[in-house]
Amino acid sequence: MTTVTDPFISPFSDHHHNHLFAAIDLGTNSFKLRIVRANPTTGRFLTIHRLKDPVVLASSTTSAISTTAQTRAIDSLRKFHHILASLAVPPSHLRLVATSAIRESSNQSEFIQLVYETLGFQIDVVSGYEEARLTYLGVLQFHPVYNRTVLTVDIGGGSTEFVVGLKGDVKLGVSLKLGHVTLTQRFVTNNNNNNGILAMREHIRNVVKESGLVEKVKEYKIDVVVGSSGSIRMIEKAIFMGYSSDLVSEIGLMEGCRRDWKFSRDELSGLVEKLCEEESGGREGGGRKGFFKTRSAFIVAAVVLLEEIFGLLGVEEMEVSGYALGEGVIAEKLAEVFDGFDLNANARWRSVLRVASRFNNKKRMSSAAACASVSQEIFTGLRKWNKIDVLLDDKDLEYLEAACLLHNIGLITGKKGYHKRSYHIIMNGEHLHGYNTEEVKLIALLVRHHRKKFLQLDHNSLRDFTDEMKRKFRVLCIIIRLSAILKQYQSLSTQSIQLSHSDEGFKLVFRDSSANNVESMPTDVDVELRKELQHFEKVVEQKLSVVVLSSPSGS
């Protein structure tokens, strides 16, 4: 690897940043930042950065946002502003939406003006209906339910949104002032508070009854019920990982790898019983805090509220979406920028994202996304070379990116042999919807052989492939192998990569993002990279050099 220091010349064009989109969700309990990289051709997008700050705007004593809460909010948004600026996300590709706490605050205008004067951010305060609509759009980016009548439930800190949607259109949107933060502040304040939980249940039933929600929902034939909020995702995780049985273990996920983001009414009731028993006995302690983390204080209200919703609406099973309001905001922004953006596109791609986020924690998901970013740039650069362009097409990029996102899912049970476990999850889990048998096998083999021994053309695994598919596989395999190595070099910016070709061969150029001098490639990584460069030369019949550009003092 060569390092070049040049404070004046950059080989990177702005197109990398033009495809970055972001949303900031200013919720009652927390602020969330989502930044995605979008493919303008397909409309697919991949989250490259997400950050959540527990700001807590709501107060049990006043409708105004306190000075202390405003300070927390500004500090959080300043952090978000720095990240957006460092990635050069175009301001026109960013939208900030405020929900219940700001929507109902008595000093809303004062707070919005403060944010604008301090950071230049313009905040859109959305209605409960608009919040529900955007959440439904977010769900459509995660679940292949476009052609089904969906009831979406999103429990926030200050309100819960219900939306019935079909084919991207909202048939019914209702927002109720029932949130896990406000319910906690009002009813779940002390230990031994069975009376408080009973009073909370009665309050929830009264609010739902007065709203007419049950009668309105019954006018539609609901095909599937989807929960989309962070609290519901945490409830699903607790059920899936055996919290109510004290059997919490990630290893247990391997046995349930066919399970796919859903839980039943009985499973929810078991968790409610466990948490309410802990609450009434004052035994929640470090176990609950260790598992639910920042949601620990509000989880009892969340599960009780959801159980009441299940009972009142007759819900027997709920699927869970990894996407919600923020992704809905981004989807709508993509539709503004890209002509013909199709909300129903990429059901296949969403199934990949669901598997990846099912088995990967945030750190592994971030690593997988970095691998995909590097792979995309190498793939794009190779396609510009006329001798390989006829071999690769847009679908091949999809297979490659899918393999990158799934290459490390086997790490859930340990590092040794994880690539083999990743392969078996893909081949045996029936997770990848919309892909045929050959496509699933191609993705799985890329995952299986992204490390260790490089697969030869005559290997048994490839015997069912045509000669053309074998050649494609070899090219895609060397790309994912290079990407898996290069993304380990922490200070390389995966947003600034360029592969070019000349008479001397290919050159892959990165920008170093460290603030100080360039750190050297770790020895073991450097050795592996040299092996992959040799594989590249053998497969592509061209040399490849890797160059890192850096600037003095991080400029």
Side-chain angles (χ1 to χ4, degrees):
M1 175 179 289
T2 305
T3 300
V4 178
T5 302
D6 191 332
F8 305 107
I9 301 174
S10 171
F12 307 110
S13 63
D14 291 337
H15 82 278
H16 295 273
H17 305 305
N18 289 341
H19 295 162
L20 297 183
F21 290 77
I24 297 177
D25 168 10
L26 289 77
T28 300
N29 188 43
S30 60
F31 286 4
K32 304 181 189 74
L33 169 68
R34 298 285 185 276
I35 303 175
V36 308
R37 173 173 54 79
N39 184 317
T41 303
T42 65
R44 292 201 322 258
F45 62 80
L46 176 67
T47 300
I48 64 168
H49 196 95
R50 62 195 312 170
L51 184 62
K52 172 185 168 185
D53 254 358
V55 175
V56 188
L57 292 178
S59 168
S60 59
T61 58
T62 176
S63 64
I65 302 172
S66 68
T67 301
T68 304
Q70 289 186 42
T71 299
R72 289 197 300 268
I74 291 296
D75 289 344
S76 176
L77 291 174
R78 182 174 284 114
K79 190 186 309 179
F80 292 174
H81 186 276
H82 175 74
I83 294 170
L84 291 164
S86 68
L87 292 174
V89 177
S92 61
H93 290 187
L94 167 69
R95 185 183 180 193
L96 289 80
V97 293
T99 57
S100 176
I102 298 175
R103 184 164 63 228
E104 297 170 13
S105 64
S106 58
N107 58 342
Q108 174 192 126
S109 298
E110 173 191 324
F111 175 73
I112 291 174
Q113 186 65 25
L114 173 65
V115 171
Y116 179 74
E117 291 177 352
T118 306
L119 297 167
F121 281 149
Q122 292 186 324
I123 297 174
D124 293 334
V125 181
V126 295
S127 66
Y129 175 87
E130 178 69 358
E131 183 179 350
R133 184 186 71 83
L134 289 168
T135 299
Y136 169 55
L137 293 184
V139 168
L140 289 182
Q141 304 310 302
F142 192 82
H143 277 291
V145 292
Y146 182 84
N147 292 311
R148 304 173 73 186
T149 302
V150 184
L151 169 62
T152 298
V153 181
D154 189 278
I155 296 176
S159 65
T160 295
E161 277 61 51
F162 303 83
V163 59
V164 175
L166 174 64
K167 295 184 178 180
D169 293 327
V170 173
K171 305 299 182 181
L172 170 70
V174 176
S175 179
L176 301 183
K177 294 181 180 179
L178 295 169
H180 57 76
V181 173
T182 51
L183 287 173
T184 298
Q185 291 172 341
R186 182 171 176 180
F187 297 103
V188 190
T189 53
N190 301 299
N191 291 321
N192 303 310
N193 61 344
N194 283 329
N195 290 336
I197 291 175
L198 291 174
M200 177 168 61
R201 288 186 182 277
E202 183 177 358
H203 173 71
I204 292 167
R205 292 168 188 167
N206 288 336
V207 171
V208 173
K209 182 178 179 180
E210 292 172 6
S211 72
L213 174 70
V214 176
E215 294 74 20
K216 292 173 183 175
V217 170
K218 285 183 177 179
E219 293 178 9
Y220 302 91
K221 184 181 181 303
I222 304 300
D223 296 318
V224 58
V225 181
V226 179
S228 60
S229 61
S231 57
I232 293 178
R233 288 194 291 276
M234 182 57 76
I235 288 169
E236 189 276 339
K237 180 180 178 182
I239 290 171
F240 191 39
M241 298 183 70
Y243 183 87
S244 57
S245 306
D246 296 321
L247 297 174
V248 177
S249 171
E250 283 200 346
I251 294 177
L253 286 175
M254 285 299 294
E255 299 174 359
C257 67
R258 288 177 181 269
R259 187 169 181 170
D260 201 10
W261 291 78
K262 62 180 66 173
F263 58 89
S264 69
R265 185 173 179 174
D266 287 343
E267 289 172 321
L268 174 62
S269 295
L271 180 63
V272 173
E273 182 178 351
K274 169 75 171 179
L275 289 170
C276 287
E277 182 182 303
E278 289 178 349
E279 186 69 28
S280 61
R283 290 183 279 107
E284 65 274 18
R288 183 198 296 181
K289 291 178 181 177
F291 187 86
F292 293 101
K293 298 182 172 56
T294 58
R295 295 187 185 277
S296 174
F298 310 114
I299 195 63
V300 170
V303 295
V304 170
L305 172 56
L306 189 59
E307 185 179 44
E308 288 297 325
I309 290 170
F310 268 51
L312 293 165
L313 296 179
V315 177
E316 293 298 328
E317 183 178 76
M318 173 173 277
E319 296 197 19
V320 181
S321 172
Y323 289 171
L325 176 63
E327 287 79 12
V329 170
I330 287 173
E332 190 156 76
K333 184 63 72 172
L334 287 169
E336 292 176 11
V337 175
F338 299 140
D339 291 338
F341 178 78
D342 183 4
L343 283 173
N344 191 35
N346 312 309
R348 292 153 46 114
W349 183 246
R350 287 194 295 270
S351 72
V352 172
L353 294 174
R354 290 171 71 183
V355 182
S357 51
R358 170 75 280 171
F359 290 95
N360 279 331
N361 57 25
K362 288 182 180 180
K363 183 177 180 179
R364 293 196 296 267
M365 194 67 183
S366 177
S367 175
C371 183
S373 293
V374 178
S375 285
Q376 185 193 48
E377 294 303 328
I378 297 176
F379 180 94
T380 302
L382 278 176
R383 282 195 69 184
K384 292 177 181 178
W385 185 43
N386 58 12
K387 290 186 179 181
I388 209 166
D389 176 51
V390 293
L391 184 65
L392 302 175
D393 57 34
D394 289 339
K395 278 194 173 181
D396 296 322
L397 177 58
E398 182 180 341
Y399 305 145
L400 177 63
E401 290 185 310
C404 288
L405 288 185
L406 301 176
H407 80 280
N408 57 356
I409 57 177
L411 282 168
I412 195 167
T413 57
K415 187 173 182 180
K416 186 177 180 180
Y418 75 88
H419 55 305
K420 297 177 183 178
R421 288 192 297 275
S422 299
Y423 169 85
H424 287 297
I425 291 172
I426 296 168
M427 289 297 290
N428 302 320
E430 299 179 5
H431 294 296
L432 302 187
H433 307 299
Y435 292 92
N436 63 37
T437 303
E438 184 180 67
E439 291 170 327
V440 171
K441 185 176 181 181
L442 175 63
I443 293 169
L445 284 174
L446 287 172
V447 167
R448 168 67 175 80
H449 296 285
H450 83 272
R451 64 193 291 260
K452 300 296 183 178
K453 190 174 181 180
F454 189 69
L455 201 62
Q456 301 302 313
L457 279 171
D458 58 355
H459 194 276
N460 268 347
S461 300
L462 304 178
R463 66 180 181 275
D464 296 330
F465 287 175
T466 64
D467 289 342
E468 181 182 357
M469 280 293 291
K470 290 178 181 178
R471 292 197 301 273
K472 280 191 178 192
F473 172 80
R474 294 259 290 173
V475 174
L476 297 177
C477 192
I478 190 57
I479 294 175
I480 190 174
R481 290 173 71 93
L482 278 167
S483 303
I485 293 294
L486 290 168
K487 54 93 173 168
Q488 296 181 58
Y489 188 32
Q490 297 298 321
S491 68
L492 294 182
S493 171
T494 58
Q495 297 306 307
S496 298
I497 309 168
Q498 189 177 65
L499 182 71
S500 60
H501 183 261
S502 68
D503 293 339
E504 298 177 358
F506 285 95
K507 180 188 293 184
L508 184 63
V509 184
F510 284 79
R511 178 169 296 285
D512 183 88
S513 60
S514 60
N516 301 308
N517 294 329
V518 182
E519 59 181 85
S520 60
M521 174 74 77
T523 303
D524 56 339
V525 177
D526 195 26
V527 170
E528 290 299 317
L529 177 60
R530 290 175 185 173
K531 291 180 182 177
E532 299 311 326
L533 293 178
Q534 291 171 2
H535 291 319
F536 182 94
E537 184 174 355
K538 184 176 180 180
V539 172
V540 182
E541 298 181 348
Q542 293 277 308
K543 287 187 176 182
L544 172 65
S545 59
V546 178
V547 178
V548 178
L549 296 182
S550 80
S551 306
S553 303
S555 60

